[in-house]
Amino acid sequence: MSTAAQISSDIKSVELADLGKKRIEWANQSMKVLQIIRKEFIKNQPLKGIRPVYAIKGEDNDTYYNHILAAIDHKPHITMDDGADLVTLLHTKRTDGLESVIGGTEETTTGVIRLRAMAKEGVLKFPIVAVNDADTKHLFDNRYGTGQSTIDGIIRATNFLLAGSKFVVAGYGWCGRGLASRARGAGAEVIVTEVDPTKALEAVMDGFRVMSMSEAAKLGDVFCTVTGNKSVLTKDHFEHMKDGAIISNSGHFNVEIDIPALEKMSSSKRTTRNFVDEYSLRDGRKINLLGEGRLINLAAAEGHPASVMDMSFADQALSVEYMVKNYKTLEKTVYKVPDELDKRVAKLKLESMGIKIDRLSPEQEEYLAGWSEGT
Ligand SMILES: NC(=O)c1ccc[n+]([C@@H]2O[C@H](COP(=O)([O-])OP(=O)(O)OC[C@H]3O[C@@H](n4cnc5c(N)ncnc54)[C@H](O)[C@@H]3O)[C@@H](O)[C@H]2O)c1
């Protein structure tokens, strides 16, 4: 483990460079929108002089935070966060880093919730664009990206046959919708749990069984939480689960499943496969926890497919460009991605897929904008 002071670069293994380069090349083939934006940025240089990224796969908590500290040591102009940990550190232990920051962007739902809370309390020290809230981000990345990659992570970790199984999805937000539809596509009987009545109703009308987690706990073969909340699966649920139940999380952090409670209820624990910890409960039942309760699509699979991240990263790139152009006039709060940027990303994606759509005629535009023409 390296400390912040030691880190000017952190390389897990130089031998991995060639493999890494090939992976980047592979992903790049599916990232047509970013290719267009890169060409534009090379020509126009909108981020000239703007500073930093630190991460390695499999970093422990200390290394993760040391990487964030190292990023702050660079005196960044723009923060590009995924969960708001960097911004939180800049507002607590490392306020010295605030001096150079002109603004930031945030990638995920949980981060945006945290930042909105900071803005509401009036403590946010620079403007942030909530990339997560762009239509071209959450409608695609959270739904189709998390949906597919979470199934991929669960299957890679367990080799479990989804067809004919009972698959419980906790949370029917963007991630939950994608996950439920992909699990159904693989032949599972999908059960949804929710706390929001409208989302629950939507899940019912989308054709899923909806019930409380207390009920679902007794039925499920596989469970996956995607709520962004804590303690969604608890002792009360573990007590009623079937022998051999598989539990996993693809929401944020490892707090959606109450792992300390599971530890307490267990007489022993062993790792049976990569990313599978088998907990033996005192009554003889076994519960399999995947990826230590961390995001299973990142732990056991490869995260989202590059083609969907193409749009999320395009939103990031254009939002950073927007921030550099506009930070002087923005307030210290959380902003939506401007509509024209969002629509531009969707348009470029369609173009890259060779798909043409219709355009409003001037007559239609007038009709939609007006009120004088009757029905
Ligand atoms: N795995 C990934 O790669 C990935 C990608 C994108 C987002 N995320 C994370 O996934 C989480 C969900 O994101 P989202 O965009 O779907 O958010 P969302 O706000 O659209 O949906 C979350 C849903 O969970 C429900 N919920 C909250 N508490 C619950 C509980 N106790 N039981 C059942 N349902 C509950 C909410 O009512 C809401 O409908 C966030 O933490 C987000 O950061 C993960």
Side-chain angles (χ1 to χ4, degrees):
M1 192 202 84
S2 356
T3 64
Q6 289 168 332
I7 298 175
S8 59
S9 64
D10 200 356
I11 299 168
K12 192 162 184 173
S13 160
V14 180
E15 272 97 70
L16 291 171
D18 195 40
L19 183 65
K21 204 164 159 259
K22 284 187 187 138
R23 283 196 183 169
I24 291 170
E25 284 167 11
W26 177 258
N28 187 45
Q29 293 171 22
S30 309
M31 303 184 100
K32 307 281 192 235
V33 179
L34 269 187
Q35 287 173 19
I36 294 169
I37 293 174
R38 185 188 306 125
K39 270 194 203 141
E40 245 178 54
F41 278 19
I42 289 172
K43 190 164 159 238
N44 304 330
Q45 304 271 313
L47 308 186
K48 201 170 177 196
I50 298 291
R51 294 185 289 269
V53 178
Y54 280 95
I56 54 172
K57 185 171 163 67
E59 58 190 3
D60 59 24
N61 212 34
D62 287 343
T63 312
Y64 169 71
Y65 275 102
N66 280 328
H67 283 151
I68 293 185
L69 292 173
I72 296 174
D73 287 342
H74 273 280
K75 302 264 171 244
H77 294 114
I78 298 269
T79 62
M80 206 185 252
D81 221 348
D82 189 344
D85 286 335
L86 170 60
V87 173
T88 307
L89 268 184
L90 277 169
H91 284 73
T92 51
K93 289 187 201 140
R94 288 296 308 266
T95 48
D96 61 297
L98 279 172
E99 208 180 306
S100 56
V101 178
I102 58 171
T105 64
E106 170 55 49
E107 172 80 3
T108 202
T109 315
T110 300
V112 171
I113 292 171
R114 290 166 88 181
L115 293 165
R116 289 230 159 87
M118 290 170 81
K120 199 169 164 204
E121 274 181 37
V123 295
L124 191 63
K125 298 274 191 245
F126 51 86
I128 304 255
V129 177
V131 168
N132 182 74
D133 293 357
D135 287 345
T136 44
K137 201 281 184 180
H138 65 261
L139 287 176
F140 301 91
D141 167 321
N142 299 29
R143 180 161 43 173
Y144 304 111
T146 311
Q148 175 172 315
S149 62
T150 299
I151 296 285
D152 186 15
I154 292 172
I155 292 176
R156 285 198 210 193
T158 59
N159 198 22
F160 186 82
L161 180 68
L162 289 177
S165 71
K166 290 193 172 56
F167 192 105
V168 180
V169 176
Y172 202 65
W174 293 109
C175 295
R177 288 180 179 105
L179 179 56
S181 86
R182 292 306 176 253
R184 173 158 65 190
E189 183 187 333
V190 178
I191 298 171
V192 170
T193 71
E194 248 299 341
V195 290
D196 179 320
T198 317
K199 302 266 179 69
L201 189 60
E202 190 186 351
V204 173
M205 298 220 179
D206 282 345
F208 297 109
R209 289 178 74 185
V210 175
M211 59 185 79
S212 67
M213 186 56 92
S214 317
E215 283 302 308
K218 298 175 203 155
L219 303 175
D221 299 302
V222 184
F223 295 79
C224 189
T225 53
V226 270
T227 70
N229 205 343
K230 64 191 269 204
S231 304
V232 180
L233 282 178
T234 62
K235 179 171 178 285
D236 291 346
H237 305 126
F238 304 141
E239 268 168 359
H240 295 104
M241 282 181 185
K242 292 190 215 170
D243 182 27
I246 294 169
I247 59 176
S248 60
N249 167 47
S250 207
H252 212 68
F253 300 133
N254 61 345
V255 294
E256 300 216 12
I257 301 174
D258 188 352
I259 301 170
L262 184 60
E263 299 262 352
K264 252 194 189 159
M265 293 167 72
S266 305
S267 51
S268 64
K269 167 188 163 186
R270 60 179 187 139
T271 300
T272 49
R273 294 164 60 93
N274 282 342
F275 310 111
V276 183
D277 287 330
E278 178 195 77
Y279 286 80
S280 297
L281 307 192
R282 294 205 172 73
D283 61 13
R285 282 176 305 129
K286 296 184 190 329
I287 291 180
N288 298 296
L289 172 67
L290 305 190
E292 298 173 348
R294 293 171 196 286
L295 275 63
I296 192 59
N297 63 333
L298 299 182
E302 296 176 56
H304 293 9
S307 161
V308 84
M309 294 315 289
D310 189 23
M311 287 188 279
S312 304
F313 292 163
D315 284 321
Q316 284 281 13
L318 295 179
S319 297
V320 168
E321 183 188 31
Y322 172 81
M323 185 60 77
V324 172
K325 275 193 195 145
N326 296 290
Y327 74 95
K328 285 187 185 141
T329 56
L330 295 179
E331 289 178 23
K332 293 170 184 169
T333 189
V334 181
Y335 284 89
K336 277 187 65 184
V337 172
D339 266 356
E340 61 275 17
L341 296 193
D342 208 354
K343 290 278 183 245
R344 183 168 174 231
V345 172
K347 197 165 163 271
L348 289 175
K349 189 70 180 174
L350 280 171
E351 276 171 22
S352 78
M353 296 164 93
I355 296 170
K356 290 196 171 68
I357 60 169
D358 290 328
R359 283 178 141 210
L360 289 173
S361 65
E363 190 194 358
Q364 286 172 327
E365 271 188 45
E366 199 181 322
Y367 177 71
L368 291 176
W371 53 271
S372 55
E373 241 179 282
T375 47

